[in-house]
Amino acid sequence: MGLRTIADHILDICQNAVDAGASQIKLSIEEISGERFSFVVEDNGKGIPEEKLKEILDPFYTEKKKKVKFGLGLPMLKFASESTGGSFSIQSKPGVGTKVSATFNLSNIDCQPVGDLASAIFSAITMEAGVNWQIVRVKGKNGYSLTTEELKKILGDDFYSNPMKMKKIMELLNMMENSLGG
């Protein structure tokens, strides 16, 4: 996957959380128009041992015995955020979960475009049926929040696989994003 926008990075980190076996994931996105954009993904997945945290940020790291190669998503996110004068952090504890945070300075010439957040959020919340998502989105003084628990109450447990219900969710997300304005 080409990580061309900040929304692509968000989706990549959300996929990591799902792949880590998380059943609860919180995605928080905050934006100050033209100035700063930050996001945090917190999960209750398997976590990462402390000694591995530095290694996973090395795009060339492999575990020779297991031939395991970590993806490029985390190193690319770290580079993308820090190249704008922003910040990146990862905190994790085995058996507890992981928290990944990134901040971008939007006015920096090296900042990637934000991209399609509604589609990224939609893709995240529909990628795995057994995950409970909490989405918190703030832009300036406006914002919204939603949970997959709320969506299940309104649309039923099959919302993630029913095309008509998926269309309704995408429409809702687009409407909420558009209501945030500039």
Side-chain angles (χ1 to χ4, degrees):
M1 165 172 45
L3 302 174
R4 295 188 182 126
T5 67
I6 296 172
D8 293 337
H9 286 288
I10 291 170
L11 187 55
D12 181 62
I13 301 305
C14 289
Q15 181 69 59
N16 290 351
V18 169
D19 291 347
S23 62
Q24 302 282 332
I25 304 172
K26 180 178 181 182
L27 169 61
S28 304
I29 301 170
E30 184 178 1
E31 183 176 359
I32 299 172
S33 289
E35 293 179 35
R36 184 175 55 83
F37 185 99
S38 62
F39 73 90
V40 178
V41 177
E42 298 175 78
D43 70 59
N44 69 344
K46 64 184 175 189
I48 304 164
E50 191 173 335
E51 63 274 8
K52 297 278 186 226
L53 284 176
K54 283 192 169 78
E55 294 170 348
I56 64 171
L57 295 176
D58 177 354
F60 304 107
Y61 171 75
T62 60
E63 288 184 353
K64 292 180 183 176
K65 287 182 183 175
K66 296 180 184 174
K67 302 266 188 209
V68 172
K69 181 163 175 72
F70 291 101
L72 294 174
L74 286 168
M76 289 177 72
L77 173 59
K78 183 177 190 307
F79 176 80
S81 60
E82 290 178 350
S83 69
T84 71
S87 61
F88 169 87
S89 73
I90 182 169
Q91 301 160 344
S92 191
K93 188 171 182 181
V96 176
T98 302
K99 178 179 177 180
V100 175
S101 306
T103 301
F104 297 80
N105 287 319
L106 294 172
S107 61
N108 188 293
I109 194 165
D110 291 325
C111 191
Q112 295 171 299
V114 171
D116 186 349
L117 290 174
S119 290
I121 293 168
F122 172 81
S123 295
I125 66 175
T126 58
M127 73 175 60
E128 182 65 45
V131 176
N132 291 317
W133 287 88
Q134 178 184 3
I135 308 296
V136 178
R137 171 76 163 110
V138 176
K139 184 173 183 181
K141 295 180 181 180
N142 299 315
Y144 64 85
S145 67
L146 68 96
T147 67
T148 51
E149 302 250 334
E150 292 167 332
L151 291 174
K152 286 178 185 177
K153 284 180 187 172
I154 296 166
L155 299 172
D157 287 345
D158 67 339
F159 78 85
Y160 62 92
S161 63
N162 180 305
M164 294 304 291
K165 293 177 182 182
M166 292 174 82
K167 182 179 179 199
K168 292 257 184 243
I169 294 168
M170 191 66 226
E171 290 170 352
L172 174 67
L173 289 166
N174 278 318
M175 182 195 69
M176 290 189 300
E177 277 299 314
N178 291 335
S179 74
L180 296 178

